[in-house]
Amino acid sequence: MSMNELIKSNIDKIKKQIKEAEKNAGRKEGSVKLLAVSKFHPVEAVYDAINAGQFDFGENRVQEAFSKFPEIFQKFPNVNLHIIGQLQTNKVKKAVEIATMIESVDRLELVKEIEKQCAKIGKNIEILLEFHTGEESKSGYKTSESLEETLEFIAQGNAPHVIPKGFMTMAPFTEDTELIRKSFSLMREIAERMQEKFKNFNLSELSMGMTHDFEIAIQEGSTEVRVGTAIFGQRT
């Protein structure tokens, strides 16, 4: 099987599993989006995925995204790129130039820098606020108070170019499905609380679940799953 056929076959399989998981969770078909994580994979692999009908991609590193996506956007302007890796302030300028959405917003300082860089180029950008529910080393807001402070800052009109759309989290990397479920349900509860408090925002996006745990994430309310290995194979 060629790489092109393999990637298509993998995407079809994942989409089928997503559909199955939606059905089992009593959710509407199409309520969960697939984000194909293309980090460490060549631009050819991204084209193979596009040819298989996949248009939403996630990259961890801004520099790597820049080496691939400008040429992709020229050929396929309907492709969306989400930055999903921890973002340093000095990388924000490039990130807002290339991304459709930044999912890994984990501190107020970052929102201020995103606003500053977006204002310079007159671009609005959607963000997800990343909340820490898993391992110690992972980034993300650690308390709902700090999350609330950031949303309050945006709600007061301090970041007109920044559009919060919801939240992102990573469950702990473990075989313990109860721990994984707990992580996702905590995220959902916090999201519901924030939506209740900030009624002027539509915070309905929940980016939860990866290759090994996305079925549980869908049961717990995820609207987007981030899958890399199961689509593109092991990273080189």
Side-chain angles (χ1 to χ4, degrees):
M1 197 186 274
S2 71
M3 195 41 110
N4 190 2
E5 290 166 331
L6 183 64
I7 287 174
K8 183 181 187 325
S9 159
N10 289 344
I11 287 173
D12 290 345
K13 189 175 158 194
I14 299 286
K15 286 186 172 170
K16 199 174 161 196
Q17 286 173 307
I18 289 171
K19 202 192 267 190
E20 202 61 30
E22 285 171 334
K23 193 176 156 193
N24 292 341
R27 293 179 58 184
K28 205 171 95 220
E29 190 181 309
S31 61
V32 181
K33 183 170 77 182
L34 171 62
L35 190 76
V37 180
S38 48
K39 66 173 180 180
F40 306 143
H41 294 286
V43 71
E44 293 76 23
V46 178
Y47 283 128
D48 288 342
I50 292 169
N51 291 332
Q54 176 63 31
F55 295 98
D56 300 305
F57 295 90
E59 286 279 340
N60 279 48
R61 298 173 181 179
V62 177
Q63 212 170 338
E64 190 187 344
F66 252 90
S67 72
K68 292 190 264 200
F69 280 85
E71 81 164 74
I72 291 168
F73 289 144
Q74 281 183 337
K75 294 175 188 168
F76 299 97
N78 55 334
V79 160
N80 295 308
L81 173 65
H82 293 202
I83 297 295
I84 59 173
Q86 195 170 16
L87 188 57
Q88 293 162 324
T89 323
N90 62 356
K91 296 282 197 294
V92 169
K93 181 177 184 290
K94 288 280 197 196
V96 301
E97 274 177 42
I98 201 166
T100 317
M101 174 184 268
I102 299 173
E103 294 201 9
S104 45
V105 175
D106 60 358
R107 58 200 187 282
L108 179 54
E109 178 202 7
L110 196 55
V111 170
K112 291 175 180 174
E113 188 59 29
I114 291 170
E115 171 57 33
K116 183 177 148 188
Q117 299 302 336
C118 280
K120 283 183 190 171
I121 58 172
K123 177 179 178 176
N124 291 348
I125 198 158
E126 296 182 342
I127 65 162
L128 298 183
L129 299 169
E130 181 179 0
F131 192 76
H132 174 94
T133 61
E135 293 137 63
E136 286 312 303
S137 61
K138 295 284 182 273
S139 55
Y141 285 90
K142 302 289 191 288
T143 66
S144 52
E145 289 75 21
S146 55
L147 205 58
E148 200 174 308
E149 186 193 352
T150 295
L151 285 167
E152 193 58 62
F153 177 83
I154 302 170
Q156 286 170 358
N158 296 308
H161 296 87
V162 178
I163 304 155
K165 297 298 286 181
F167 305 90
M168 183 258 249
T169 197
M170 283 172 81
F173 199 80
T174 172
E175 296 295 308
D176 186 339
T177 55
E178 277 320 298
L179 267 183
I180 293 169
R181 188 177 300 283
K182 212 166 130 188
S183 168
F184 293 144
S185 66
L186 171 65
M187 182 74 268
R188 189 192 65 241
E189 284 160 20
I190 290 170
E192 285 166 358
R193 233 172 34 234
M194 294 298 153
Q195 183 63 83
E196 189 56 39
K197 204 166 174 65
F198 296 95
K199 290 189 167 72
N200 290 346
F201 293 144
N202 174 7
L203 301 171
S204 58
E205 293 292 325
L206 266 186
S207 176
M208 311 193 299
M210 290 155 71
T211 295
H212 61 287
D213 59 16
F214 72 79
E215 274 117 338
I216 302 171
I218 290 171
Q219 288 165 9
E220 293 302 327
S222 174
T223 63
E224 176 193 273
V225 297
R226 309 182 300 274
V227 178
T229 311
I231 292 173
F232 299 108
Q234 288 300 330
R235 299 181 188 101
T236 46

